[in-house]
Amino acid sequence: MTSRGAGTAFSRRNYRLSTESEKPKLTGIVNSKLLNDYLHRIFPSADGIQPATAYRKPLTFQNLQEHLDKLLAEDSGAEDSRDQVLEGRLGPSTVVLDHTSGFEGLLLVDDDLLGVIGHSNFGSIRATTCVYKGKWIYEVLISSQGLMQIGWCTLNCRFNQEEGVGDTPDSYAYDGNRVRKWNVTTTNYGKSWAAGDIVSCLIDLDEGTIAFCLNGVSLGTAFDNITRGAGMAYFPAISLSFKESVAFNFGSRPLRYPVEGYRPLQDPPSVDLVKAHKLLGYLKNVIHIGIDVLEGKLVEKDTSTWQLQGEPTVLITLTHIFNHFAPLMCKVYLVDDVLMHFLLSILERGGAVEAHPLIQQLLDLMWLLMEDYEVHECLKQLLMSLLRAYRFSPIIPDLGLQIHYLRLTIAVLKHEKSRKYLLNNVLFDVLRSVVFFYIKSPLRVEEAGLQELIPTTWWPNRFTKEGKENKEVKEESAEERLRRRAYDRGCQRLKKRIEVVEELQVQILKLLLNNKDRGGGEASRYIFLNKFRRFLQENASNRGNLTVLCPPEYMVCFLHRLISTLRCYWDGHKAKAPAALSSEEAYVPPQLFYNGKVDYFDLQRLGGLLSHLKKTLKDDLALKANILIDPAELQAVTMDDLDEDEESATSTAQRPVAALAIGGALARPSWLSSPTLGRANRFLSTAAVSLMNPRRPLGTLEKMKARTLSVEQRTEDDIEGSHGNEGLLLGRPPEEPEQSITENSLLEILDGIVMMYNLSVHQQLGKMVGVSDDVNEYALALKDTEEKISRCPKRRRDIYEELVKSQKVFSEKLNHLSRRLAWINVTIYSKEKMQDIYWLLRVCIRTIEHGDRTGSLFAFMPEFYLSVAMNSYSALKNYFSPVHSMEELPGYEETLTRLAAILAKHFADSRIVGTDIRDSLMQALASYVCYPHSLRAVERIPEEQRISMMRNLLAPYEQRPWAQTNWILVRLWRGCGFGYRYTRLPHLLKTKPEDANLPSLQKPCPSTLLQQHMADLLRSDCDMAPSFLNSVLNQLNWAFSEFVGMIQEIQQAAERLERNFVDSRQLKVCATCFDLSVSLLRVLEMTVTLAPEIFLDWSRPSSELLLRRLAQLLNQVLNRVTAERNLFDRVVNLRLPGLESVDHYPILVAVTGILVRLLMDTDFQGAKRATAVLLADPCFQLRSIQYLLGHAEPSALAAMPPSADKRHFSLHTYTDYISLEELAKVERMLNHLSEESKQAAASTLPTSEEDLCPICYAHPISAIFRPCSHKSCKACINQHLMNNKDCFFCKATITVANARGLRRKEGMNETAEERI
């Protein structure tokens, strides 16, 4: 078949448009008189006046073509002559961005040369056409709301990476990000723009003015008296920073907001436009006018019920119309201006989409009477126009525009053949179809009509000035109650309107997931599945490439609509198959993770790389799942991985850094530029010529992704299974029940939903909480200002007026934010959305539980299932409150308990090898034990699991991330230790916390049950206690030593005369080491309290050594912190930002707690041993104990100047945190140590230096090494031999340490010889 060329007729489908002269009559054609009347009614003359029947030329199908050509040519001559007038404009008639020479910096430009993305600091680009006379306009569709300057420039303007449009003479720009206008200098102008807005740029070269409009609303004249005259012509131009993006409309599509008197830079296709409107009128006539063959007359028909019904006369008439109409419908402008508006007019009568079958009939006609390539192009352009119109429509109170475009989208997708074509070729390949499921948030609430919907604003006063939650809230006044109720009613009105849009979006997805439309090929659901998987792959494999990633705000809306649709189909299947599971019991069976039927790309598995798991677990796969791994496949996988690594290394070395950064964006559609049109495949750069090389072909980019091709080629049988083939469920392990779950295709969609949440939804949920935080900030500021106004003296009128101004500003901002927050709460944080996330959490929990039962095959599960389980719980707890509480959800406590069991079991699971996911599990468990409700859930898990969890927590700290483990133990103890009942440190109470919801700022909630498990384990396992406590002591020694070293450096920097700055990172590390030291001391206090015999029962191995090491470290800490005018004091008094947590109280009460437990709260024998060891340590100083109670040394007091007003630390000043009973114990401990130290000093015999240990010079020699015969005290050699078997002095390997001068003492049985 020949193709249509310019002015060349071509043969179309053979519908016998001309009849042979020898055949005067066609079968089924009405009589000539009726046919003549019919054709004249369908094709009236241009003036609309119908001549009398006797005077008009008879029309038949033989001369209809000639008549139609004459009608269409009537206005063409005038239009052609008008189109030739181009005065005031220079350049090509088709206006695009100048990608050859008119740009600066790095840019990505779409294939249509109308969309652009910034890829450097501040890239600039201009159009190919300029204007020098007249009034002109173009539109810019804002895709991201960041830093951009849009306007006009001349050819002489020179831009760089720092200066763009508006920064040079003869260039003028509007910047809606900073709300300013630019022409070398800058001033305030206009309004702030947001993604989804349209900026109109107007230039009047007759008057010399430039103006801008935002969504059709004039922002006023921006510039006047612009330079004009000979050689001055202005190009449309833009400068934009990295990742910012826009799409231009110079006139290739109808302007959304035309301005009277201004012409678009690109003229509309006027001739074709006239023809298209005429042909559309003829088509409408066919629909309106029917033929009553029996009566022999023409009748008016109801267009809503029109059907073709095989009438030959009507069919041939339509064929003549479509012979001219079809080629026109391949043009963007005509589809947008003519076809889309006609189809929208059909739906304007209201009612359900099903009540308008005319659109289905028209689509049938298009597929019948148009060439396939014409229908394809027409449908593609129609969906593009709908998507663009939906995305860039302003928000109005009833959301009428969005509803209008979604209804037409549904009507088009209801047509089966059109839907399958669009799914196969357009929706995920050319269009950003996810945009259809997005409801944008209005940045300017007054333009969105939220003032009418929510006339009364309200905000909660939940926080005090210190940032703490105000539990003693005053009773709500009558006025506040009325305001809150009015605000709630407004929110409900808004919710109902948004629910209409959401329901339409769900209807679209229901059409795409239809699996019953098998006529003419594969059902829609299976096409969708393959495209959806490709969509997930792009977003999972390009995490660092923002031009390819779907924006997270779109992902959130898409996720919720997909969950609603999935659950509808899932429960529909349950109704037909009662044996299947309901959506409330949904989970993903474990065989999907290892049978290879679902592609997980290169996402990490719990057990590592898939290729590694296939090698190491191939026997388990064969035994449990009856899946055999072909050795050749293993070899192929290994070689394929090697090839990928080599290719990656080669390409990295050969390609420039900037080109590498855009990688996949060159081959796939860009989300950030044009909202509809395809691939951003032009990479523009003025930095290096090499960057102008053509992009790599698509095949090269996806060379290694054979799995992707196999997924796209899957059939329904491959997914659902048939004739003994289990499809996606191949390889069911014996632990998995044989019960039917649901349709296999729905399982894959469920798996994709979990992956979507992990990719970007969780981060977006956390991001949007910022609006609620802003409301709280402004509410506090307003409350503070009102209090100041009430206290302001009447004589200070100036201060009063300033405070009133501030009050007005805060009130206006709160009114704006409270309305915007209402929108966000409805679209993101509503109760229904919370239930979706809760359902997803339960799905992940069930999936993990089923996977765990498979034993070693659990390693095949992707890591993101555990991540989503933890993150979704965090979102429910932190992001949805206080609007909705998680406690209101059904099965809340059971879900918490099951999640607690997962965290308790898997944080130390040997099947999980990834360090990141292990750290995440540990952090999640640490957060879990900080809150009473979740801690109680941990206590509700089976006892065996609780004991196993505590055993894992008590494993030695070496060679594993121990800080989080220690934090968990501390939280289990907090509230029980000495002076350890505080939420925030005493000296920080007057400062506001960054986030009052942080786990570390929660009230103490100790667990006596888990403490008891810990005590039982330490008592019963003789090996566990020494190894655990030695690791704790080692880490304490390291952490405190690091802390002391850092504060020495900080003090030295502070004492220098020259101005200097301490690195904030160093301060943060210093504070972290201090916090670690305190937490390690608290764990030691916990151990001493729960199981003191580990230190004091010297019949246990290593008890004496542990006690001596503990005493040594405690004395070191006390000496460093309590010395008068010492280093610690000076650094604390500097009050440096970042060192807020460093203070005397936390570390001294922790040490005091340990000493009190050892000396006061134990039996006589234990206290005696602890006292002896403490006093025997050469570092012990009684003044350190006196310092705790504020008893300064007499020598220090004498040395102080008389005028010094120095406050000494004393536990007596913290009576809100330390009980009287605890203070009394400290007093008794001081008295006890004073007496014992005096007695020890009196009874100590002088020892010659030769008998002292040559290592510590504190104890007499009591051990001889064999075979080298060197000597030391027993404490030194025992401590040394724990880590090293070489002699201190000669490095010989010690085989025997003979005890020298041993005696039976204090009931301790000691041998004369210790062997290694």
Side-chain angles (χ1 to χ4, degrees), residues 284 287-288 301-306 342-353 355-359 404 407:
K284 291 179 181 178
I287 295 171
H288 281 282
K301 298 187 69 174
D302 182 6
T303 58
S304 63
T305 59
W306 181 84
F342 170 55
L343 297 177
L344 286 170
S345 67
I346 296 174
L347 297 173
E348 282 179 351
R349 300 164 194 159
V353 176
H356 303 283
L358 178 58
I359 294 178
H404 209 34
R407 279 165 53 83

Side-chain angles (χ1 to χ4, degrees), residues 676-840:
T676 53
L677 191 63
R679 310 172 188 281
N681 73 332
R682 288 176 171 83
F683 181 54
L684 310 183
S685 169
T686 54
V689 178
S690 61
L691 297 185
M692 293 297 293
N693 293 336
R695 65 184 175 96
R696 294 188 299 169
L698 182 63
T700 304
L701 183 68
E702 301 184 357
K703 163 181 169 286
M704 72 286 190
K705 296 177 181 175
R707 293 185 299 276
T708 302
L709 295 176
S710 64
V711 167
E712 291 180 350
Q713 294 169 355
R714 292 181 306 173
T715 64
E716 179 179 348
D717 288 344
D718 294 329
I719 296 171
E720 301 291 0
S722 63
H723 308 298
N725 172 23
E726 294 181 279
L728 295 183
L729 298 183
L730 173 70
R732 182 180 62 82
E735 298 84 1
E736 187 67 13
E738 296 185 15
Q739 179 186 10
S740 170
I741 302 174
T742 187
E743 296 170 284
N744 291 357
S745 51
L746 298 182
L747 293 173
E748 184 172 340
I749 294 173
L750 176 58
D751 176 77
I753 288 173
V754 178
M755 190 187 299
M756 278 176 61
Y757 186 91
N758 181 66
L759 290 176
S760 59
V761 171
H762 181 72
Q763 292 87 336
Q764 183 66 14
L765 289 178
K767 179 181 177 182
M768 297 309 294
V769 175
V771 179
S772 177
D773 295 339
D774 290 343
V775 169
N776 293 330
E777 291 287 339
Y778 278 100
L780 284 172
L782 178 61
K783 182 179 179 182
D784 184 51
T785 305
E786 289 173 345
E787 291 176 357
K788 289 179 180 177
I789 289 175
S790 64
R791 299 195 307 266
C792 181
K794 293 182 179 180
R795 65 179 183 275
R796 297 306 305 268
R797 190 70 185 173
D798 54 338
I799 297 177
Y800 178 81
E801 289 175 356
E802 289 298 322
L803 288 173
V804 170
K805 287 181 183 178
S806 299
Q807 182 188 30
K808 182 180 178 182
V809 170
F810 292 145
S811 296
E812 289 176 354
K813 190 68 176 178
L814 274 170
N815 287 333
H816 170 88
L817 286 174
S818 65
R819 291 187 175 102
R820 187 157 181 252
L821 183 61
W823 183 283
I824 292 173
N825 283 340
V826 169
T827 55
I828 299 178
Y829 299 119
S830 68
K831 185 176 182 180
E832 292 75 16
K833 308 300 186 297
M834 185 180 192
Q835 290 171 343
D836 284 347
I837 304 300
Y838 182 60
W839 177 79
L840 197 60

